Amino acid sequence: MDLTLHIWRQKGPKDNGKLEIYNVTGIDTDQSFLEMLDVLNENLIKDGKEPVAFDHDCREGICGMCSQVINGRPHGPHEETTVCQLHMRRFKDGDEIFIEPWRARAFPLVKDLIVDRSALDSIIQAGGYVSCRTGGTPDANTHPIGKPIADYAMDAAECIGCGACVAGCPNSSAMLFTSAKVAQLAVQPQGKVEAVQRVKSMTAELKAQGFGNCTNHYECQASCPKGIDVKFIAKLNREYIKALVK
Amino acid sequence: MILDGKAPTGPIETSWDRYRFDTKLVNPANKRKYKIIMVGSGLAGGAGAATLGELGYNVDCFCYQDSPRRAHSIAAQGGINAAKNYPNDADSVRRLFYDTIKGGDFRAREADVWRLSQVSNNIIDQCVAQGVPFARDYAGYLDTRSFGGAQVSRTFYARGQTGQQLLLGAYSALSRQIKAGTVKMYTRREMLDLVVVDGVARGITVRNLVTGEMESHWADAVCLATGGYMNVFYLSTNAMGSSVTASWKAAKKGAYFANPCYTQIHPTCIPVAGEHQSKLTLMSESLRNDGRIWVPKKAGDKRPGNEIPENERDYYLENKYPAFGNLVPRDVASRNAKLMTDANRGVGTTGLAVFLDYRDAIQRVGEKTIKERYGNLFDMYEKITDENAYKQPMRIYPAPHYAMGGLWVDYNLQSNIPGLFVLGEANFSVHGANRLGASALMQGLSDGYFVIPYTIAGYMATVKPGEITSDHAAFKESIDQVNAQTQKLLNINGKKTVLEFHRDLGKIMWDNVGMGRSKESLNKALSEIPKLREEFWQNVKVTGSANELNQQLENAGRVADFLEFGEILAADALHREESCGGHFRLESQTAEGEAMRDDENFTYVGAWEYKGNDKAPELHKEPLQFENIHLAQRSYK
């Protein structure tokens, strides 16, 4: 199939960016979206032009590195799919496709489609862990955890930290990301001990990093390639209120 | 030269405990005077950096990704082994030890494998304490499943995302130390050289991938936890950025590269679809717990799987290996898949695939249960192939997956360069010639949480902290060298892209050094690789400049290193005239076509010393002794 691509090009954070038009031809429907971009880049290099810079790594949909807004949707049109797992069979011959980077104040642009998502790491560093030391931990079966709780924790823990929730949200809120970690740890006995401090410091960091507030648009859930549920935001809010009265 | 692995002697059961008592300690107040570099932030690197930071050392941790949470350990799916014996099926540390030694085809050091088996239980405790949501049964206890090469159920898992959950556990421990200031994290940095002063590792040279700036970092010890080199095959299950660069630069500075030819071809990957394919996707080996592998009995049978009646199907693994069936080790499963496709009994449009069928399992336990066990894998399969594996059998084929070879280390995880330690997949230590399922995660975390914190102390106790810093001339020299190579790459301005060279190299490697290798094919590879390398340095085209984010330049450097490393891999395969695990020499097989070892001549670790691209590398041997488990032909029948 033949496609017309409108791709955001920007040399660096201080430069002006703009959409440039590229044509690719002979794309196979079995190719992934990133493999289609590989073809474009190969052509650009051969023409002596600069290839498009984009973030990607595992190409298995789990590392969370890829970050492109395709036709206005983070990770593109297919639900619960990362860009690297999006295949060209989702598009039609002759399609025009708009490709842009994540856009959020907390994610400064680095180059072309690459943005800096270290603000998400800062949120985890603010308390997204159980403060246990290495070694000296009790036998793993000492504290049974019911299957429904373990499953709930796992549903939350599946977040890949790609930041699509932020890119999809009109407020650039990182509530879904933060809530997933808060919820995963708050429901398990190991994480309960620090739950109050954790939700407070992670929420404070969320604001400090320049993310917006949640106003219940649910775009985060719609954008999430792993289908993380907004119920975790409700859980975060409950945990936060509990923390305030403690 | 005969290498000394420094493994403790005496009864194996107490070897690690005695070692820990005998090793020197560093007083807690002195630990903060020392600086340690950790390159890599996956299971081994992330866990290691976090634990060393927690102990009080100053740790500088580096990764090429934008965040340590993206290390490729995250992609592991199926599970992690431990000898807990929770299922009451006769597992023990000794049995895990036995399975791992045997599974590795008697090419690993006994003491290292014992230690791995012993600390496996601590790993599960540690991860649970961190809040890793392992699968649980309805009573709330940890659930397990079986994996290839074992007859007990010892694999702990978190749905099909075990690697992700364990990595996020290590990442959370690391995040805690970053916050505490004991670990300084450097993201989007790639190590491009090891700085060695008077034979001792003193630091590294890294490129800041955003600004292009070269940076010098010194430390009292350097740890490499940089993963495997399977992208030498171009198509592999590794992440796109996985490379041999850090290890290879260390090798060029004198570190020996051990058993590079031991590569694992994983049996359950999604088959290649077209020529534009950039990578292969693995499907967890745990699928073989419930899926049955088969091909049509008749050669050239192109009917869809569902239309082939039961009596025309050949469940070749179950027939040939009744004791282990579909759960034979990975090398056996891979090789038999290749035998089937070589005999024109492969399935799908390319014929390079076999079926993995869930029909019977779905009839037995229901689609809901199968969905619960493997749902995300079925979804992933459907996204890539557009086929619903609940309704028709999956197609799978082997793909390059894991490197058992790596830099040579002794029992302390120290390379032959003092002060250079190597962890996880980047070292060669515990897998022998074949890695069993669910043992890579175990090794990464074992090295990171429970081995390096003890062994590095023995070294630290012998060095004066901060003796040589980045003011030393060797750091400047290293930067100049790296800059010169970068400039050289940018100046060639040839006609072929980096990707084209990588693809060409991959084809040479897969065709000649892949699942079946012969003297003839290996010699062919050894004559073609240098030619391709020469062409690369004449005709590669790298766009952009050195002083910016330049992904072409990054890739060019990695492929340049693969073009050198590929040759040493082939040379190692050529010298080892025996079949061993995943390394199958066509000249060395039993009458039934199984791999045949030559214990008399090859019971050793082969460690190569780099002598220059135009010179043959020198082979050093570390003889292996098997005092606890008797050398025997592996049989899974």
Side-chain angles (χ1 to χ4, degrees), chain A residues 11 26 28 30-31 35 38-39 42 45-46 48-60 62-65 78-81 85 87 89-90 110-111 114-118 120-121 124-126 128-135 137-141 143-148 150-151 153-155 157-162 177 181 184-185 188 190 205 225, chain B residues 51 54-55 64-70 72 74-75 77 84 86 122 124-126 128-134 136-142 158-159 161 164-165 168 171-173 175-176 178-179 188 210 237-242 273-274 276-282 372 380 382-386 449-450 495-497 499-500 541 543-544 548-552:
Chain A
K11 263 194 104 52
D28 206 16
D30 278 337
Q31 278 174 253
E35 285 164 357
D38 290 342
V39 172
E42 288 290 287
I45 294 166
K46 294 214 157 167
K49 291 179 189 143
E50 253 213 68
V52 182
F54 60 91
D55 262 337
H56 64 103
D57 202 18
C58 77
R59 295 205 177 186
E60 290 184 21
I62 189 76
C63 78
M65 192 88 171
H78 194 52
E79 61 187 34
E80 294 193 23
T81 305
Q85 292 293 294
H87 283 74
R89 64 180 79 95
R90 306 288 169 198
V110 178
K111 184 178 184 177
I114 297 178
V115 299
D116 178 356
R117 287 168 284 182
S118 47
L120 297 181
D121 290 314
I124 299 297
Q125 286 157 19
Y129 42 76
V130 176
S131 301
C132 66
R133 292 186 67 98
T134 301
T137 48
D139 182 87
N141 260 348
H143 300 292
I145 300 175
K147 189 173 185 306
D151 285 349
M154 183 63 208
D155 286 344
E158 278 188 38
C159 168
I160 59 173
C162 65
F177 170 82
K181 189 51 71 181
Q184 176 205 338
L185 298 178
Q188 299 191 89
Q190 312 92 308
E205 187 65 22
Chain B
T51 307
E54 191 178 81
L55 284 169
Y64 72 80
Q65 298 93 340
D66 68 332
S67 161
R69 69 176 295 142
R70 309 209 197 281
H72 193 56
I74 205 156
Q77 297 165 355
K84 286 279 195 187
Y86 287 159
N122 303 92
I124 304 300
D125 300 341
Q126 182 65 30
V128 166
Q130 288 168 344
V132 169
F134 281 116
R136 300 214 171 224
D137 61 22
Y138 280 96
Y141 296 106
L142 289 154
R159 288 196 192 138
Q161 292 109 294
Q164 179 197 26
Q165 293 312 315
L168 293 182
Y171 162 77
S172 70
S175 297
R176 178 170 162 248
I178 293 171
K179 176 76 174 176
R188 292 201 197 261
V210 177
T237 64
N238 286 16
M240 305 301 284
S242 295
H276 287 300
Q277 195 142 352
S278 58
K279 73 138 358 203
L280 295 170
T281 302
L282 178 140
E372 226 173 75
M380 193 170 81
E382 184 165 11
K383 269 176 196 154
I384 294 172
T385 62
D386 210 19
Y449 287 132
F450 298 110
K495 298 225 155 28
K496 252 169 92 170
T497 64
L499 188 75
E500 287 173 313
K541 187 177 182 75
T543 52
E548 59 178 337
L549 188 147
N550 186 341
Q551 294 175 318
Q552 289 304 309

